[in-house]
Amino acid sequence: MTTSTTAPVAAQEEHAHVDPAAQVAGVTVPVQTRSERLRSYEPADFGVPTGREVNWKHAPVARLKPLFEAAAANDGVTAEVVSGAQYVGAPLAAGQAPRGEFFIPEDLPAALAWQGATEALHVRIPREEEVAEPIVVQFTGLGADRRADGHIVIEALEHSKATVVLRHAGSAQYAQNVEIIARDGSNVTVVTVQQWDDDAIHAASHQARVDRDASVRHIVVSFGGGVVRVNPNLELAGAGSNGEMYGLAYGDAGQHLESQVYLHHKGVETTGDVLYKGALQGESARTVWIGDVLIGPDATGTDSYEANRNLVLTNGARADSIPNLEIQTGDIKGAGHASATGRFDDEQLFYLQARGISEEEARRLVVLGFLAETVQKIGIPSLEEELTALIEKELAATPDGAAA
């Protein structure tokens, strides 16, 4: 856990190449904060990760290796607009506005996806329109040995409101970029659901800019996949903007589910709330959560909080949780962070069992209650019911070796 107060840093030029390390007295100082990381459209600028880099040291780089090379055929994933097709415009080439208005790759898979996705799916919500039903896009992998790159642009124009759901199933080696632009006064919810097969590899970079008085709610739900790494980056650029970042991960044996979350308070009077929860069961099940909050030098009046909670259900599972908070101005309303990882609460189990509830049912109720807080933030009843049923299914399959 890291908390620091630093002097204001010079603003980076828009879309500039940012050096990955600094020279101090002739010594190279490794990048420690999210804001200092290399950002570039060129894959060659990053180099192939070794696992020693700050943003890769918790990731299984050997399993992610297929995403460190360009997709030759780029035919491993299909995209179908299940509902809301009227809000999907013509595809965007690289550099064709609004693609690239805010998004700059932060790692090698994102840079490869930027180059490899010659056309980006463009979801556009018209000015002052409120979309009643979720816009749903289904991504389906065509095979564990199939490689693909993708880029999605979600643009909510001024004073519009919509919910966009990105669903993933099947199996593939998929590098994906998602660019979210919330114009002044807009309100957009983006839900990404990973229900991949067990052999899928998925690395996604989500970047959002939130303008004046706009709001973005970003939700990551990861259940399936062998390795799933969804890294959201949300910049509260406009005065009075609001950002909510929520996540739910349920890891089984052999799964690696990871999110590196970045919330950047840039404008004045901005508010942010981050809450990720994870449950793990099975030998070598692993979740990784790294949460970085930066309150910039001009972000006066900021109110921000981030938290990560993990429940370990069986022996052999592991959860890594690293919250970081960097504050560059003293004129804020409040900021804080928290992290907790543990097994079942014995007092809760005792309370339920003392009232005639079996131990198995008591454990089920505790887990459902723990994860329900995140599920209920989605705001789509049908999807909330589906995820609750998935949690029930996972609990029913709890292997031997349950944590005491």
Side-chain angles (χ1 to χ4, degrees):
M1 183 179 298
T2 302
T3 304
S4 63
T5 301
T6 63
V9 296
Q12 300 291 344
E13 180 181 350
E14 193 74 16
H15 291 194
H17 174 101
V18 181
D19 291 331
Q23 291 286 333
V24 178
V27 177
T28 299
V29 180
V31 169
Q32 297 297 323
T33 62
R34 183 72 175 262
S35 60
E36 296 174 341
R37 288 186 187 175
L38 169 66
R39 303 172 73 202
S40 174
Y41 295 106
E42 297 298 329
D45 289 339
F46 292 97
V48 177
T50 64
R52 294 188 296 271
E53 302 83 358
V54 67
N55 58 327
W56 291 104
K57 64 182 181 180
H58 298 283
V61 292
R63 297 173 68 183
L64 286 162
K65 186 177 179 181
L67 300 186
F68 300 155
E69 301 174 355
N74 195 19
D75 60 354
V77 173
T78 63
E80 178 188 3
V81 181
V82 177
S83 62
Q86 66 269 34
Y87 298 104
V88 178
L92 302 172
Q96 181 182 355
R99 181 178 177 180
E101 181 177 320
F102 175 71
F103 189 95
I104 313 175
E106 288 186 300
D107 59 24
L108 179 58
L112 289 169
W114 175 269
Q115 302 285 351
T118 56
E119 294 185 337
L121 183 73
H122 184 199
V123 178
R124 184 176 184 272
I125 314 303
R127 180 185 175 93
E128 298 183 355
E129 182 162 345
E130 184 170 337
V131 182
E133 298 298 324
I135 300 165
V136 180
V137 184
Q138 176 71 53
F139 298 91
T140 304
L142 303 179
D145 59 345
R146 302 283 288 272
R147 176 78 169 80
D149 293 319
H151 194 104
I152 301 98
V153 178
I154 300 171
E155 181 186 17
L157 297 187
E158 292 82 355
H159 305 288
S160 63
K161 184 177 182 180
T163 295
V164 180
V165 181
L166 309 176
R167 307 197 61 148
H168 306 84
S171 189
Q173 303 164 2
Y174 188 39
Q176 180 191 60
N177 296 331
V178 179
E179 184 170 5
I180 305 163
I181 303 170
R183 309 289 185 189
D184 291 355
S186 62
N187 187 324
V188 61
T189 296
V190 177
V191 184
T192 177
V193 182
Q194 286 64 241
Q195 291 177 269
W196 296 103
D197 294 343
D198 290 342
D199 53 1
I201 302 170
H202 178 52
S205 177
H206 291 219
Q207 295 186 18
R209 191 192 70 211
V210 191
D211 292 338
R212 177 181 292 272
D213 296 325
S215 181
V216 166
R217 174 174 287 196
H218 186 275
I219 302 171
V220 178
V221 179
S222 296
F223 275 80
V227 180
V228 174
R229 176 178 153 112
V230 181
N231 292 346
N233 172 335
L234 195 155
E235 180 183 287
L236 299 175
S241 56
N242 175 67
E244 299 171 330
M245 308 176 77
Y246 303 126
L248 170 64
Y250 203 119
D252 286 327
Q255 280 188 304
H256 179 101
L257 307 178
E258 178 174 340
S259 282
Q260 297 188 25
V261 180
Y262 182 35
L263 177 61
H264 181 188
H265 291 268
K266 190 174 183 180
V268 300
E269 300 290 334
T270 58
T271 56
D273 184 35
V274 179
L275 176 63
Y276 272 61
K277 287 192 172 186
L280 301 93
Q281 64 180 23
E283 187 71 27
S284 71
R286 186 176 183 186
T287 60
V288 173
W289 179 86
I290 302 173
D292 289 289
V293 174
L294 169 62
I295 300 175
D298 300 319
T300 57
T302 288
D303 191 359
S304 183
Y305 191 79
E306 68 167 345
N308 177 231
R309 314 287 188 198
N310 299 292
L311 187 58
V312 179
L313 304 178
T314 63
N315 297 318
R318 172 179 172 180
D320 291 300
S321 180
I322 307 171
N324 302 295
L325 175 61
E326 184 178 3
I327 304 172
Q328 298 178 335
T329 176
D331 185 10
I332 63 173
K333 292 179 180 177
H337 58 187
S339 170
T341 298
R343 301 178 184 273
F344 281 104
D345 188 319
D346 291 336
E347 290 187 3
Q348 287 181 322
L349 291 177
F350 176 79
Y351 178 87
L352 294 170
Q353 289 180 269
R355 280 149 182 80
I357 299 174
S358 68
E359 180 179 356
E360 180 181 353
E361 178 65 8
R363 289 178 179 274
R364 187 186 73 85
L365 291 174
V366 169
V367 175
L368 286 174
F370 173 75
L371 298 177
E373 180 182 7
T374 306
V375 173
Q376 291 168 2
K377 291 182 181 295
I378 294 173
I380 306 172
S382 60
L383 182 54
E384 291 176 3
E385 292 174 5
E386 178 185 342
L387 293 177
T388 300
L390 278 173
I391 295 170
E392 294 265 20
K393 183 179 179 180
E394 294 281 0
L395 286 170
T398 300
D400 294 336

